Amino acid sequence: MNRMKKKCAVVLSGGGARGALHVGALRALLEAGVVPDILVGTSIGACNSAFIALNGINQQCLEKLTEVWRNAAVTEILPSNYLWLSVRMLFNRRVPDASNRMRDFMISNGLLPDLRFGDLDGVRLLLVAADLNHGVPIVFGDDPNESILQGVLASTALPPWVTPLARGDQLLMDGGVISNLPIQAAIDAGAEEIIALDLSESHAETENMQGFGPFFARVIHTVQKRQLALELDLAAARHVPICYIRLNPANSIPLWDFSHTEELMAQGYAITAPAIAGWLDERQPAWHPRRLAKRAQAWAQKLRLPAQAG
């Protein structure tokens, strides 16, 4: 049962292997009765959004998605030697391209090449990529004849692992470059309420910056933080309520390290369940029984009196 009265969008950010957090978060949303009208994703969020849109927003779909992530944990989708790959790219040397590996993995899990956005039933799917030639976001899904697989591949084309994709006069790469949590795409699609699941880590703010890896992580984090602030400001200006949930893992998890899938799924659920429950309660009118009960409990605690059951 959909508890959202307005047109609701769930927005899933990029974050590589941390996308397992989305799985637990989506389970918490489903248990809370949230069935979105729109799914918007960037990068790994595009992968998760596409799978959910294709298989339906239900418990069975989440069980399948859980198995997909367990399979990803034992498959080296993104090689861990990213520094070596980056150096070779800087010196214009040939590097292994993981795009075929990713494409094969997606097809094996049901994302077939002939599937089009117009084939989807019940939920609108939007996937965000970045066009390097024009410096703008590209949203796949507005055209019902576009390939869902091509949209996912464009949204996940992240160097040094995957070379940007050429499409006409566009050069498309991972959407996280330009909109890691694509709130604006949801607003432009007509969302009246948005639940935004952000995989950005707070660890990047305090990490020791010695070495290229930590320095690069801090740069990316700074850019994404600025992007997020602008998109949240846009939502406020358009009077679109947002339930922003930061799925910050207990420990820093590299983009390519899929070995923490089980613990991340559990953490995603643990973070989201109370957050969405609180937000849904706030969306209820002041006279709603659940809000009245919470208010009574709060007063009882202040007065140090036992709250009555029910």
Side-chain angles (χ1 to χ4, degrees), residues 86-310:
S86 301
V87 170
R88 290 188 67 85
M89 283 192 67
L90 288 173
F91 287 95
N92 202 27
R93 301 291 181 86
R94 182 180 176 83
V95 298
D97 194 327
S99 58
N100 288 335
R101 187 183 309 174
M102 293 179 63
R103 178 187 176 91
D104 291 344
F105 185 82
M106 292 173 189
I107 292 175
S108 69
N109 286 285
L111 190 54
L112 303 179
D114 60 345
L115 286 170
R116 299 290 183 265
F117 284 89
D119 296 329
L120 298 175
D121 183 28
V123 65
R124 185 177 180 186
L125 174 65
L126 300 172
L127 309 176
V128 179
D131 179 6
L132 297 183
N133 285 344
H134 301 93
V136 296
I138 299 296
V139 179
F140 286 81
D142 288 329
D143 181 353
N145 295 314
E146 285 182 320
S147 163
I148 299 174
L149 178 60
Q150 287 302 309
V152 173
L153 291 174
S155 185
T156 57
L158 179 63
W161 294 284
V162 179
T163 305
L165 308 178
R167 187 180 75 159
D169 65 343
Q170 299 173 337
L171 186 61
L172 303 177
M173 72 168 290
D174 191 292
V177 172
I178 201 164
S179 183
N180 195 53
L181 188 65
I183 291 170
Q184 181 176 351
I187 295 172
D188 292 344
E192 298 170 301
E193 292 185 317
I194 296 173
I195 300 170
L197 303 177
D198 188 6
L199 299 176
S200 63
E201 289 189 315
S202 63
H203 307 287
E205 300 172 356
T206 57
E207 278 184 343
N208 189 320
M209 282 206 303
Q210 292 183 356
F212 175 77
F215 171 78
F216 185 69
R218 182 75 66 86
V219 171
I220 295 298
H221 176 76
T222 301
V223 173
Q224 291 178 349
K225 189 174 182 179
R226 177 59 175 162
Q227 291 170 349
L228 173 61
L230 292 173
E231 301 210 31
L232 288 174
D233 285 348
L234 176 64
R238 300 278 184 88
H239 305 291
V240 178
I242 290 186
C243 175
Y244 172 77
I245 302 176
R246 190 173 190 179
L247 300 173
N248 191 40
N251 300 299
S252 182
I253 306 295
L255 296 175
W256 59 88
D257 187 358
F258 286 77
S259 66
H260 302 274
T261 290
E262 294 292 342
E263 62 191 79
L264 290 179
M265 288 191 291
Q267 289 176 31
Y269 180 88
I271 294 169
T272 305
I276 193 63
W279 192 71
L280 288 173
D281 283 344
E282 289 176 2
R283 305 299 294 161
Q284 299 286 358
W287 46 262
H288 191 275
R290 290 183 62 178
R291 293 198 67 181
L292 291 174
K294 283 197 169 185
R295 192 176 302 170
Q297 288 177 353
W299 275 106
Q301 289 177 356
K302 286 184 180 180
L303 297 172
R304 295 184 179 180
L305 295 175
Q308 294 184 0

Side-chain angles (χ1 to χ4, degrees), residues 35-55:
V35 180
D37 305 288
I38 306 168
L39 284 168
V40 187
T42 288
S43 194
I44 196 63
C47 297
N48 286 332
S49 296
F51 189 92
I52 293 289
L54 285 170
N55 291 278

